[in-house]
Amino acid sequence: MTTPTGTDTPGGTPADAHTTYRTSGGVTVDRTAAPCDPATLTALVASVEHRRGGVLSSGMEYPGRYSRWHMGYVDPCLEIAARGRRVSATALNDRGRVLLPLVAAAFAEHGDADHRPGEAVDVTVPEPAPGEFFTEEQRSRRPSVFSVLRSTVALFYAPDDRHLGLYGAFGYDLAFQFEPVAPVLERDPDDRDLVLHLPDAVIVHDRKRETCLRYTYEFTVPADADTGAAPRTTRGLERTTAPTPAVRTADVPPPPEPGSYARIVAEAKKRFARGDLFEVVPGHRTYGACDSPARFYEHLRTRNPAPYEFFFNLGDGEYLVGASPEMFVRVSGDPDQGRRIETCPISGTVRRGDDALGDAENIRSLLTSAKEESELTMCTDVDRNDKSRVCEPGSVRVIGRRQIEMYSRLIHTVDHIEGRLRPEFDALDAFLTHMWAVTVTGAPKTWAMRFIEQHEATPRRWYGGAVGAIGFDGSMNTGLTLRTAHIRDGVATVRVGATLLHDSDPDAEERETFLKARALLETLALDEAADTPAAEPAARPEPAAEPAGAGMRVLLVDYEDSFVHTLADYVRRHGAEVTTVRHGFDPALLDETAPDLVVLSPGPGLPADFGAAALLDELDARGLPVFGVCLGLQAMVEHAGGELRTLDEPVHGKPGRVRVSGGDLLSELGGDGFTAARYHSTYTTPERVKGFTVTAAVHDDGAEPVVMAVEDADARKWAVQFHPESILTAGVGERIVERVLRLAR
């Protein structure tokens, strides 16, 4: 129940308004919204240098995507932190001590909690039991640090308050609780992977509505009949917290050795040639001196406006200051927006020109670069896949393609993608399924993260993670931790990377990393720092009166690919029930699920890397229909006695013209052929195929034909070498999936 009082201000929020509501966990919240001078935020920035707190702002206006705003807080009452799988909640003042017992109860849902009344609570989230099985659709619900966060958010959930929530930073290593990546680099056990604050006073400057309001909160915790605890309230308690350690000075380390990054690029190119990777985004570190994080933040947001500008004092002498150009995950908490999830992957970079004419020339070169387009295509295909794991079938779409964004030193191409969460998922599921963005890892994502772990010199810590807020209204708003300085002992560490493809030039990629770091390093030194219209979504075929997959059960085998969930989404759009499992599962699952069709996903590497032949033996024994995509085709051809080869030049994220020569699957797509997305290094030719009819191929100039489709109609086996789920195959991809469902019935 909400009871507002007061008079309206221009932004539609009552001035000196008082609102009372009760959260799902029974906490009564009294909120007051009072006008304040925007200059208050400047004073708050100075305070955050000395006490825990955070300031977030946006310096970009982009209709439908970004608007300019500024908000901040200091002296939060509670801090939630994680080191590996151990999560702690610490009361930072008497106000936090009021809430701590309730938070401790939420923590205790996930393990044996160590509750030190009035101080803190800790819990170590256990690894899933050896026999505990999760499908890919359920992966975001595996026990992890985020299980504890989900319970904490549920405790404070209330749909009508946009500003109360947890604010802070999410470290890169959190992904290891979601994806099977074994740590190789040595970690400091004291390093934190997560720091989130619960502020009870927040200043919000809405520049569009020209309002600036200070929201203050009081909490009342009800009596506990089980323990006999009396009601507790924060009313009358001080909001201040203890000061954090003063900024100290230390020697700035030397820059990276020239050529060290280029050597990583050269190693990555070997992996591209084998097909282990399509793209990868390794990074390295540069350094600068910083004796005032607050001043650095103010200078940075003036010199390098960005959608996600931030300054966090994380305590323990750690600060994060950044001007990130890239949204990570944004989820609406407004039911009227239909649980909308959106992302804006960035890939494709060129330097700014000397003037507007120079900018225009550089934009032209960026938009006509096949390499830069391939980079963004792969990022967007992976992003669409990530959403398809948790979004309503058919709701994932590209609403902006290769749009231009301009920054102080760089010009980027950006896609804008949205989807609608399925009812059983929430904002944390959306966050987890994207972790971490392909623009800071690569594709296939898991294999790219393994390469990064094996070839970067030090752990990433906060770089490549995210900053932002988990709203207690069900929303989430986060930006990637890019163009960010991690400040400790007066040294600002700036990590930067570049998106690498097979045709990357090692020296050019190394130069790009230093170009990306310049805006931050020059600001640290206090030096003078000195669209294309949104693409129309591809038309989808009109659904048949009876969906092709109605009543069908499809088992999708995931070979650690970054596009598998988009493929699953395409199948679901045609009415089929899809269960996705990682390779290596017990064959008994085939009998338990009794699928009408088994889909073998694309993937990195070779079929032997996944023991694909053993699974195909099991499928043959049961006479199950099979549809293979890319690696799936290669596995099926090899299993039937065919022979595979390696291309001289990998084809990753690039279009190919497919010529159809017959068969049932692609018969309706004959004529002049069609354009499809190719992501492969391994291939076969017609004369090397055994046991299948070759029904389509690509004829590259001067090269032998590359098989693009095979089928064995009697055995009900079909396979394609291209990716029907890619945006490059948008014109025919869904029709192919629909056709294979009808053939498998």
Side-chain angles (χ1 to χ4, degrees):
M1 178 178 180
T2 301
T3 310
T5 60
T7 58
D8 285 346
T9 60
T13 303
D16 295 311
H18 178 251
T19 303
T20 300
Y21 60 86
R22 181 166 295 177
T23 74
S24 294
V27 179
T28 299
V29 180
D30 292 292
R31 183 190 71 189
T32 300
C36 64
D37 190 328
T40 307
L41 277 165
T42 302
L44 186 145
V45 170
S47 297
V48 170
E49 185 163 298
H50 306 289
R51 303 202 302 279
R52 284 176 175 84
V55 188
L56 299 101
S57 54
S58 176
M60 288 190 67
E61 192 78 31
Y62 198 107
R65 189 150 83 230
Y66 302 122
S67 59
R68 298 177 72 219
W69 52 270
H70 197 183
M71 63 86 62
Y73 66 91
V74 69
D75 294 323
C77 61
L78 273 175
E79 177 182 272
I80 295 177
R83 294 174 175 84
R85 300 183 72 87
R86 187 163 185 81
V87 193
S88 64
T90 303
L92 300 177
N93 55 22
D94 287 340
R95 301 172 67 81
R97 294 181 183 98
V98 170
L99 297 175
L100 188 61
L102 277 182
V103 175
F107 275 41
E109 297 173 9
H110 303 281
D112 296 328
D114 177 14
H115 183 197
R116 300 179 297 285
E119 297 181 20
V121 59
D122 300 277
V123 67
T124 298
V125 182
E127 295 276 1
E132 198 170 1
F133 178 75
F134 293 88
T135 67
E136 285 305 294
E137 288 84 359
Q138 299 167 325
R139 180 172 285 270
S140 57
R141 295 302 172 101
R142 284 168 51 93
S144 71
V145 165
F146 289 87
S147 307
V148 180
L149 290 182
R150 183 173 282 112
S151 295
T152 305
V153 171
L155 173 65
F156 291 100
Y157 175 76
D160 298 327
D161 193 326
R162 297 170 47 206
H163 303 299
L164 191 61
L166 300 173
Y167 294 77
F170 304 82
Y172 178 83
D173 280 5
L174 290 171
F176 296 2
Q177 299 183 34
F178 183 74
E179 289 289 353
V181 178
V184 174
L185 299 168
E186 184 177 352
R187 265 76 176 172
D188 185 331
D190 290 332
D191 285 347
R192 296 170 294 172
D193 301 319
L194 171 82
V195 177
L196 297 174
H197 296 149
L198 172 54
D200 52 17
V202 179
I203 296 173
V204 180
H205 181 197
D206 187 328
R207 296 178 178 176
K208 181 174 291 186
R209 295 176 173 174
E210 298 184 352
T211 62
C212 188
L213 297 171
R214 183 173 189 261
Y215 295 91
T216 54
Y217 295 87
E218 301 292 351
F219 305 103
T220 301
V221 176
D224 190 326
D226 294 333
T227 64
R232 302 181 303 279
T233 183
T234 58
R235 291 188 181 279
L237 300 179
E238 288 289 333
R239 296 184 185 272
T240 56
T241 62
T244 56
V247 178
R248 297 179 298 168
T249 58
D251 293 335
V252 175
E257 175 191 352
S260 59
Y261 190 83
R263 286 193 290 272
I264 297 177
V265 180
E267 183 61 33
K269 288 168 72 72
K270 299 176 186 176
R271 303 296 182 92
F272 297 139
R274 186 177 183 269
D276 292 349
L277 298 171
F278 302 152
E279 67 178 20
V280 70
V281 193
H284 62 163
R285 300 180 299 176
T286 58
Y287 306 92
C290 181
D291 59 3
S292 174
R295 187 173 64 243
F296 174 42
Y297 164 73
E298 293 287 23
H299 286 157
L300 184 63
R301 60 188 293 264
T302 299
R303 296 168 183 261
N304 191 41
Y308 288 88
E309 305 157 351
F310 54 90
F311 168 34
F312 284 105
N313 181 340
L314 302 177
D316 292 357
E318 279 193 283
Y319 302 85
L320 287 178
V321 177
S324 175
E326 185 167 345
M327 180 192 300
F328 179 50
V329 173
R330 189 162 69 187
V331 180
S332 170
D334 184 351
D336 294 337
Q337 294 193 27
R339 295 160 54 80
R340 180 176 186 248
I341 171 178
E342 57 183 322
T343 52
C344 294
I346 291 177
S347 195
T349 302
V350 69
R351 68 172 65 240
R352 290 289 301 266
D354 294 332
D355 52 25
L357 293 177
D359 282 341
E361 179 60 25
N362 289 354
I363 290 170
R364 185 201 63 78
S365 68
L366 179 59
L367 291 176
T368 56
S369 167
K371 171 186 175 292
E372 302 289 3
E373 183 174 8
S374 294
E375 285 185 14
L376 188 55
T377 294
M378 278 191 271
C379 291
T380 295
D381 277 344
V382 174
D383 188 282
R384 291 167 61 242
N385 173 79
D386 292 340
K387 286 182 178 60
S388 294
R389 189 197 303 256
V390 295
C391 285
E392 295 280 5
S395 70
V396 178
R397 64 192 189 108
V398 179
I399 58 176
R401 173 64 172 162
R402 298 200 80 197
Q403 297 174 315
I404 292 294
E405 287 187 0
M406 302 176 71
Y407 295 88
S408 63
R409 292 287 182 181
L410 302 172
I411 304 170
H412 295 301
T413 45
V414 184
D415 281 358
H416 191 184
I417 308 160
E418 70 170 6
R420 306 281 169 172
L421 282 173
R422 299 208 290 270
E424 64 268 32
F425 294 119
D426 59 21
L428 289 176
D429 292 305
F431 186 90
L432 281 164
T433 195
H434 288 80
M435 201 166 64
W436 289 112
V438 64
T439 50
V440 294
T441 55
K445 194 183 291 185
T446 305
W447 284 49
M449 293 174 73
R450 290 172 185 154
F451 179 90
I452 288 167
E453 179 68 14
Q454 294 161 3
H455 291 86
E456 290 190 348
T458 59
R460 288 192 163 192
R461 290 296 316 280
W462 303 108
Y463 173 78
V467 294
I470 306 172
F472 291 155
D473 64 342
S475 67
M476 198 163 189
N477 190 1
T478 55
L480 274 175
T481 314
L482 300 173
R483 316 288 160 80
T484 297
H486 173 218
I487 301 166
R488 196 160 204 167
D489 296 332
V491 175
T493 301
V494 178
R495 192 183 289 257
V496 286
T499 302
L500 310 182
L501 301 177
H502 180 263
D503 42 5
S504 291
D505 175 79
D507 293 331
E509 299 291 359
E510 181 167 304
R511 288 194 298 271
E512 181 180 313
T513 64
F514 289 109
L515 177 63
K516 289 177 176 177
R518 279 181 62 185
L520 270 75
L521 296 177
E522 289 180 353
T523 303
L524 282 165
L526 295 180
D527 288 336
E528 181 64 30
D531 264 358
T532 60
E536 290 294 326
R540 299 191 180 95
E542 290 295 324
E546 175 70 15
M552 295 181 68
R553 295 183 299 274
V554 175
L555 183 69
L556 176 52
V557 181
D558 176 12
Y559 290 120
E560 299 186 28
D561 187 62
S562 287
F563 310 133
V564 65
H565 297 292
T566 303
L567 191 58
D569 179 73
Y570 275 30
V571 177
R572 290 190 183 101
R573 294 181 194 185
H574 295 286
E577 175 186 336
V578 181
T579 300
T580 312
V581 295
R582 291 250 170 134
H583 64 94
F585 57 87
D586 188 334
L589 183 66
L590 296 171
D591 301 316
E592 295 170 11
T593 58
D596 300 296
L597 174 67
V598 177
V599 178
L600 306 182
S601 86
L606 299 170
D609 294 332
F610 304 99
L615 175 60
L616 285 164
D617 286 339
E618 298 289 344
L619 299 179
D620 284 351
R622 293 164 174 80
L624 291 173
V626 186
F627 176 49
V629 178
C630 206
L631 181 78
L633 176 143
Q634 296 159 20
M636 293 166 68
V637 166
E638 193 172 52
H639 184 255
E643 189 177 359
L644 303 178
R645 288 287 185 267
T646 301
L647 291 169
D648 292 334
E649 291 286 336
V651 185
H652 296 155
K654 293 182 171 62
R657 194 68 185 172
V658 178
R659 299 182 187 177
V660 179
S661 56
D664 294 327
L665 181 61
L666 306 179
S667 58
E668 299 177 359
L669 306 175
D672 295 332
F674 58 91
T675 298
R678 300 175 63 183
Y679 289 89
H680 64 103
S681 298
T682 302
Y683 76 109
T684 190
T685 58
E687 66 270 21
R688 294 187 175 98
V689 173
K690 310 295 182 185
F692 286 95
T693 300
V694 175
T695 61
V698 164
H699 298 263
D700 293 323
D701 292 341
E704 58 186 345
V706 175
V707 170
M708 284 288 119
V710 299
E711 60 184 69
D712 181 347
D714 293 336
R716 296 195 297 168
K717 296 180 179 180
W718 310 268
V720 295
Q721 177 63 69
F722 56 86
H723 283 237
E725 78 284 358
S726 171
I727 57 175
L728 294 181
T729 321
V732 299
E734 275 200 56
R735 292 165 60 189
I736 293 169
V737 171
E738 180 184 28
R739 180 67 175 160
V740 80
L741 288 169
R742 293 198 183 279
L743 291 171
R745 294 189 74 87

